[in-house]
Amino acid sequence: MKIPRAWHGGLSMAAAARVSILCLCGIASSSLGSTNAVSICPYPEGKPSAVAFTFDDGIVEHDLVGAVELEKRGWRGTFNIIASAPGKRPTILSWEQIADLARRGHEIANHSMTHPNIAGLFKTAKYEKAAEETAGARDVIAAHAGVVPRTFCYPGNVRTDESDRFAEKSHLIAQPGDRIGVGAWTGPADADYAARVVAEPGRFSVFVFHGLMPDRVGWAPFKDASTFTRLLDGIKSKEADVYVGT
């Protein structure tokens, strides 16, 4: 019997990452109890590796630059939204822009209500605040963006097993903790290296972006604006072996 890689059934690629890496295919040759062959299940489209692109904090350049560049290559990304932020500043995505991203096929994910240290809330037993930051943020995003977030991105990537269980009670699957951060410290050679290694069989690479353009407001943007598209083009060149999805 073949078990689908990542048990996709509605979960995003990022949501299923921790499970998908361990997913095995058992291939039975008959119903008579013969020995099964075991192999790693392929990612969608039968490809041996996969990539997801995630964008944190919901800034305007994520739409005008990030989403546009992904779409040029036929891809979609995951946009992690701070639920209290839209409309507060012109550099932050509006709810209309966020809803439009969803209509264009991108994933809208939950990045909390106010971007606190979620794990710290559990250390101080602030469970009502934790609920507001997880389930409360989910409901705000759903009401304004028209889609219910399926995944939760921890602010600052600070998490514990307790916070993961709490988030999952709100039907939120925590995004992988080992996302690949790229930004001001990433040069052209780093982008080239990353584009090469993502094609290694069995690898699931989840990139996280904040600032994209050096003259904009995002945190730790690339020093050279071309580094972002260089990375994308490098991965595009490996597309025969790499599935790109949300």
Side-chain angles (χ1 to χ4, degrees):
M1 184 178 77
K2 184 172 181 178
I3 305 170
R5 178 95 191 199
W7 306 343
H8 275 295
L11 287 183
S12 70
M13 290 280 291
R18 288 177 297 162
V19 201
S20 68
I21 291 298
L22 303 177
C23 180
L24 295 177
C25 290
I27 306 171
S29 59
S30 75
S31 59
L32 301 178
S34 59
T35 302
N36 290 349
V38 177
S39 62
I40 296 294
C41 292
Y43 285 102
E45 302 174 6
K47 296 182 179 181
S49 59
V51 167
F53 298 110
T54 68
F55 299 81
D56 283 13
D57 303 338
I59 58 178
V60 168
E61 66 191 80
H62 289 168
D63 181 10
L64 301 183
V65 179
V68 168
E69 291 296 337
L70 293 185
E71 290 167 9
K72 286 179 182 178
R73 295 160 179 81
W75 300 336
R76 297 298 183 270
T78 297
F79 293 83
N80 299 317
I81 303 301
I82 302 170
S84 65
K88 287 193 172 180
R89 297 197 307 272
T91 54
I92 301 295
L93 288 169
S94 67
W95 286 118
E96 291 78 9
Q97 289 170 309
I98 294 167
D100 184 57
L101 283 168
R103 287 191 291 269
R104 286 151 53 194
H106 298 280
E107 179 188 7
I108 304 302
N110 183 352
H111 198 29
S112 80
M113 185 71 78
T114 63
H115 207 273
N117 179 335
I118 299 290
L121 297 178
F122 287 93
K123 290 181 180 179
T124 54
K126 295 179 180 177
Y127 298 110
E128 288 187 7
K129 176 64 173 173
E132 176 189 354
E133 294 289 345
T134 52
R138 175 204 62 200
D139 294 344
V140 169
I141 294 170
H144 290 280
V147 292
V148 179
R150 300 170 298 172
T151 59
F152 183 76
C153 175
Y154 281 94
N157 205 28
V158 181
R159 65 200 292 171
T160 64
D161 289 342
E162 183 181 17
S163 65
D164 278 357
R165 289 192 296 271
F166 191 88
E168 287 167 8
K169 287 180 181 179
S170 302
H171 308 288
L172 294 165
I173 306 300
Q175 292 181 13
D178 55 351
R179 296 186 300 160
I180 303 168
V182 288
W185 51 89
T186 307
D190 302 311
D192 293 344
Y193 172 77
R196 289 196 302 273
V197 300
V198 297
E200 294 176 357
R203 181 181 287 272
F204 182 84
S205 303
V206 182
F207 288 90
V208 54
F209 302 98
H210 288 85
L212 300 177
M213 307 296 289
D215 57 342
R216 306 288 178 89
V217 299
W219 178 75
F222 293 108
K223 293 180 180 177
D224 183 339
S226 67
T227 303
F228 176 60
T229 53
R230 185 180 183 124
L231 173 63
L232 300 187
D233 287 338
I235 294 172
K236 184 71 175 178
S237 72
K238 307 289 186 182
E239 199 169 31
D241 297 314
V242 180
Y243 176 80
V244 178
T246 63

